[in-house]
Amino acid sequence: MITIAYKQCDDCCEHESVHALRDELLRLCLGVSDPLGAVSVADGGRPMLSIDGADISLSHSDGLVAVALSVSGYCGSADGLCRDGVTVWAVDVPCERIGLDIESVGGKRPEHCRRIAARYFTADERQSLEQAGDYCAEFVRIWTQKESICKCSGVGLAGLRRADTNLLPDGLSVLTDRISVGGTDYYLSICMQSAAKNKNCTIMRLI
């Protein structure tokens, strides 16, 4: 089971807010009394949990913070999070590792997106951009997918060029949704690593 929680906050408080949301999710879902002691940071900055069968990923962008928690076996209810503007989703699939990324859609300049795409996107991804009705929105969709793949695999930004959204390795699957929070549109992508292919699963909104 994967639980995804997100909420709006002040831009200046994103770092504190995403960690507070992480801690509350760990308390509610896993009964962790000392969330800070349960989290470590691997090489490349990837957060790791000292809990067997559990994985976590964080992301924030333009006033939105999000946390994804993957748990095998028993998982407590995150209903207590559903307050103060927090939205909770669930993905009911077996999963060993996860990577989450969110990015706001607005405020992007096509020329800036093209420069980044030329450096990090594959030929097929760039072709998808050129065929899209909204170049910048399509750029953000693909970018969040690539970032989620890199976070899941633990390679960091150095792996962006190799993260091909059109050719995923066996065991990896990516779910993407466009959400609107407080009048701002975002893309949210989560990459899952599992022994089973989960390409047909869907995100279920709990609230």
Side-chain angles (χ1 to χ4, degrees), residues 34-101:
D34 179 21
L36 190 60
V39 180
S40 60
V41 180
D43 292 341
R46 188 182 194 278
M48 304 289 289
L49 294 178
S50 58
I51 301 166
D52 290 340
D55 196 25
I56 198 163
S57 187
L58 319 176
S59 186
H60 55 87
S61 172
D62 291 348
L64 189 71
V65 297
V67 179
L69 175 66
S70 173
V71 181
S72 61
Y74 172 77
C75 179
S77 172
D79 290 347
L81 273 174
C82 300
R83 63 180 191 278
D84 300 330
V86 178
T87 299
V88 179
W89 293 354
V91 186
D92 190 14
V93 295
C95 181
E96 297 165 3
R97 283 170 66 111
I98 53 175
L100 173 73
D101 192 58

Side-chain angles (χ1 to χ4, degrees), residues 23-199:
D23 293 350
E24 193 163 9
L25 200 61
L26 289 174
R27 289 190 189 98
L28 286 170
C29 290
L30 297 179
V32 176
S33 58
D34 179 21
L36 190 60
V39 180
S40 60
V41 180
D43 292 341
R46 188 182 194 278
M48 304 289 289
L49 294 178
S50 58
I51 301 166
D52 290 340
D55 196 25
I56 198 163
S57 187
L58 319 176
S59 186
H60 55 87
S61 172
D62 291 348
L64 189 71
V65 297
V67 179
L69 175 66
S70 173
V71 181
S72 61
Y74 172 77
C75 179
S77 172
D79 290 347
L81 273 174
C82 300
R83 63 180 191 278
D84 300 330
V86 178
T87 299
V88 179
W89 293 354
V91 186
D92 190 14
V93 295
C95 181
E96 297 165 3
R97 283 170 66 111
I98 53 175
L100 173 73
D101 192 58
I102 56 170
E103 184 72 31
S104 63
V105 176
K108 304 294 188 295
R109 301 192 307 274
E111 61 273 17
H112 179 64
C113 294
R114 282 191 169 86
R115 283 198 299 270
I116 297 176
R119 184 174 181 182
Y120 292 109
F121 284 23
T122 67
D124 286 344
E125 289 167 344
R126 293 195 299 271
Q127 182 178 9
S128 176
L129 282 175
E130 297 300 336
Q131 294 174 345
D134 187 332
Y135 186 95
C136 291
E138 178 68 1
F139 169 87
V140 173
R141 184 187 71 83
I142 295 173
W143 180 264
T144 60
Q145 290 183 345
K146 292 172 81 71
E147 282 242 31
S148 71
I149 293 168
C150 292
K151 288 183 176 182
C152 182
S153 59
V155 299
L157 293 178
L160 279 171
R161 290 188 182 91
R162 300 189 303 274
D164 188 344
T165 59
N166 296 303
L167 190 62
L168 294 176
D170 286 345
L172 280 189
S173 54
V174 178
L175 294 175
T176 303
D177 196 10
R178 183 165 174 163
I179 60 177
S180 182
V181 184
T184 301
D185 282 357
Y186 301 84
Y187 269 110
L188 180 152
S189 290
I190 183 165
C191 179
M192 301 167 289
Q193 183 183 47
S194 173
K197 292 186 177 181
N198 301 318
K199 295 184 184 298

